[in-house]
């Protein structure tokens, strides 16, 4: 049982004072619901569980922490951890990563989430201990099927789709708050001096917020689905982040969060880059 193994690892780490806290999942208040938890003493380790509802990306709790942390991480979480290390939000030596090969996460009706169906990195890409055997990885030929359909639309149809989808947004910011790579101390949408974007739910303010958020995800989104799950209005945010990810792969030959030693595309340049963008 994975629960028992995770509990044993956490207990040992805390007993030997190798970490100050273990971040994992515990039982939620409803049957198909789990909650992130912070285990700080060995006698609390029994609270840790693992099942197909452990979808939250726990990397969200890492930025700017100074303590030593044990963290439960499936494939997508581990890739977000890599991004956070690349971006100096956490140090590798602060972390003890309890990697979990992932069979995919489900909704409350036990249906696999869309992003799990096309996931190519179910096994953690970085870990200190692995709980269970690695699962088989597959290259998904049609992982950008929906984006390709979107790309075929005319510019005005694309804009219409964007307006229609985003007009449902109530500006609750849950998508931003659930995302491990939205960690700025002060988000550009909250900034008052200067005020970049209005706080209203006027469509132009909404679109400005989303375009900013989407572009900030270039080369950083791991398609973990946390933003989509958090959205109370069921907005298809992945349609936009996947487009950015697809372009990043095609233009920079870069896949997010696979190696802490590789520099992400927007933090570096190649001398033979075509530089068409400044023509
Ligand atoms: S995207 Fe889904 S299948 Fe892939 S690691 Fe994350 S939860 Fe697991
Ligand atoms: S934008 Fe959404 S899918 Fe991408 S990393 Fe953030 S929460 Fe995950
Ligand atoms: S979670 Fe949904 S409703 Fe809330 S700000 Fe994000 S897109 Fe809008």
């Amino acid at each position: 049982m994975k629960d028992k193994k995770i509990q044993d690892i956490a207990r040992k780490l805390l007993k030997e004072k190798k970490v100050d806290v273990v971040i994992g999942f515990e039982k939620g208040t409803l049957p198909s619901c789990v909650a992130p938890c912070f285990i700080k003493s060995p006698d609390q380790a029994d609270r840790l569980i693992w099942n197909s509802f452990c979808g939250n990306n726990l990397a969200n709790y890492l930025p700017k922490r100074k303590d030593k942390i044990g963290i439960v991480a499936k494939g997508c979480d581990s890739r977000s951890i890599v991004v956070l290390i690349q971006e100096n939000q956490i140090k590798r030596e602060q972390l003890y990563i309890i990697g979990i090969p992932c069979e995919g996460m489900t909704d409350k009706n036990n249906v696999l989430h869309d992003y799990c169906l096309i996931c190519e990195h179910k096994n953690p890409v970085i870990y200190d201990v692995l709980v269970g055997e690695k699962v088989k990885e597959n290259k998904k030929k049609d992982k950008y099927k929906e984006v390709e359909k979107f790309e075929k639309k005319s510019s005005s149809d694309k804009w219409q789709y964007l307006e229609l989808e985003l007009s449902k947004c109530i500006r609750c910011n849950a998508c931003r708050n659930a995302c491990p790579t939205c960690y700025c101390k002060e988000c550009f949408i909250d900034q008052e001096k200067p005020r970049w974007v209005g706080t209203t739910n006027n469509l132009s303010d909404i679109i400005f917020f989303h375009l900013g958020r989407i572009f900030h995800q270039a080369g950083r989104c791991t398609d973990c689905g946390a933003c989509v799950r958090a959205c109370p209005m069921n907005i298809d945010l992945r349609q936009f982040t996947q487009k950015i990810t697809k372009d990043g792969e095609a233009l920079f030959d870069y896949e997010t969060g696979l190696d802490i030693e590789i520099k992400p595309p927007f933090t570096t340049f190649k001398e033979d880059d075509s530089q068409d963008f400044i023509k």
Side-chain angles (χ1 to χ4, degrees), residues 118-177:
I118 58 161
C119 174
E120 294 180 341
H121 301 286
K122 293 165 187 280
N123 295 300
V125 296
I126 185 172
Y127 56 85
D128 295 290
V129 63
L130 205 59
V131 176
E133 295 295 312
K134 282 193 175 176
V135 294
K136 192 166 178 280
E137 302 279 17
N138 281 315
K139 280 274 167 212
K140 308 284 182 190
K141 282 196 197 112
D142 58 354
K143 71 173 171 168
Y144 291 124
K145 195 171 66 184
E146 294 306 316
V147 179
E148 279 155 11
K149 271 194 227 162
F150 181 77
E151 285 171 340
K152 287 192 183 117
K153 290 180 194 279
S154 66
S155 296
S156 60
D157 284 354
K158 279 181 192 153
W159 188 251
Q160 198 184 14
Y161 176 87
L162 187 124
E163 282 193 333
L164 210 86
E165 200 58 25
L166 295 184
S167 62
K168 295 186 260 172
C169 176
I170 55 171
R171 297 287 304 273
C172 68
N173 296 338
C175 50
R176 177 195 70 180
N177 296 349

Side-chain angles (χ1 to χ4, degrees), residues 74-76 102-105 115-116 119 121-122 223-224:
K74 48 196 182 294
C76 50
C102 176
E103 306 274 4
M105 292 290 137
Y115 42 90
C116 295
C119 174
H121 301 286
K122 293 165 187 280
D223 203 24
C224 71

Side-chain angles (χ1 to χ4, degrees), residues 1-273:
M1 264 301 255
K2 284 184 177 164
D3 290 12
K4 170 88 173 57
K5 282 190 183 158
I6 296 169
Q7 292 166 5
D8 289 346
I9 294 166
R11 197 175 296 108
K12 192 162 182 282
L13 286 172
L14 289 160
K15 228 182 234 170
E16 292 173 0
K17 300 201 183 306
K18 290 198 171 134
V19 299
D20 302 306
V21 61
V22 175
I23 307 177
F25 293 95
E26 66 180 341
K27 238 171 130 184
T29 46
L30 296 170
S32 57
C33 170
V34 300
C37 67
F38 295 73
I39 302 295
K40 292 191 171 168
S41 68
D43 58 313
Q44 297 174 337
D46 292 352
R47 280 166 49 196
L48 289 160
I49 61 163
W50 181 258
N51 60 37
S52 72
F53 302 121
C54 295
N56 284 46
N57 189 333
L58 297 180
N60 199 23
Y61 300 105
L62 293 181
K64 301 182 177 61
R65 288 187 78 113
K66 300 286 174 232
D67 48 354
K68 288 203 149 199
I69 305 148
I71 183 165
V72 171
K74 48 196 182 294
C76 50
D77 306 356
S78 75
R79 291 175 62 211
S80 295
I81 291 172
V82 167
V83 175
L84 294 175
I85 295 171
Q86 288 170 325
E87 297 181 357
N88 295 320
Q89 291 306 306
I90 196 84
K91 293 193 173 73
R92 175 65 181 100
E93 52 274 23
Q94 277 175 267
L95 300 175
Y96 189 95
I97 303 169
I98 306 168
I100 321 270
C102 176
E103 306 274 4
M105 292 290 137
T106 60
D107 64 15
K108 62 180 187 313
N109 299 315
N110 281 317
V111 176
L112 268 183
H113 290 293
D114 291 353
Y115 42 90
C116 295
L117 289 170
I118 58 161
C119 174
E120 294 180 341
H121 301 286
K122 293 165 187 280
N123 295 300
V125 296
I126 185 172
Y127 56 85
D128 295 290
V129 63
L130 205 59
V131 176
E133 295 295 312
K134 282 193 175 176
V135 294
K136 192 166 178 280
E137 302 279 17
N138 281 315
K139 280 274 167 212
K140 308 284 182 190
K141 282 196 197 112
D142 58 354
K143 71 173 171 168
Y144 291 124
K145 195 171 66 184
E146 294 306 316
V147 179
E148 279 155 11
K149 271 194 227 162
F150 181 77
E151 285 171 340
K152 287 192 183 117
K153 290 180 194 279
S154 66
S155 296
S156 60
D157 284 354
K158 279 181 192 153
W159 188 251
Q160 198 184 14
Y161 176 87
L162 187 124
E163 282 193 333
L164 210 86
E165 200 58 25
L166 295 184
S167 62
K168 295 186 260 172
C169 176
I170 55 171
R171 297 287 304 273
C172 68
N173 296 338
C175 50
R176 177 195 70 180
N177 296 349
C179 178
T181 39
C182 276
Y183 54 69
C184 291
K185 201 168 163 196
E186 190 176 25
C187 176
F188 78 102
I189 59 162
D190 296 327
Q191 235 173 358
E192 288 182 353
K193 284 182 188 166
R195 165 67 65 199
W196 297 101
V197 51
T199 49
T200 72
N201 62 352
N202 174 298
L203 190 56
S204 66
D205 282 345
I206 294 176
I207 290 176
F208 195 95
F209 158 52
H210 281 285
L211 291 182
R213 196 189 83 82
I214 293 161
F215 281 112
H216 287 183
Q217 290 301 337
R220 307 170 71 232
C221 172
T222 58
D223 203 24
C224 71
C227 50
V228 176
R229 274 197 318 276
C231 178
M233 305 309 288
N234 290 323
I235 297 172
D236 187 10
L237 298 162
R238 287 181 55 246
Q239 178 76 284
F240 309 122
T241 44
Q242 268 206 306
K243 165 71 178 146
I244 292 282
T245 302
K246 178 174 179 283
D247 289 350
E249 286 177 16
L251 294 169
F252 299 99
D253 191 23
Y254 179 79
E255 209 179 339
T256 304
L258 297 187
D259 188 338
I260 56 175
E261 301 301 337
I262 297 177
K263 288 210 182 300
F266 295 111
T267 63
T268 185
F269 70 96
K270 291 182 191 147
E271 282 187 12
D272 59 351
D273 276 347

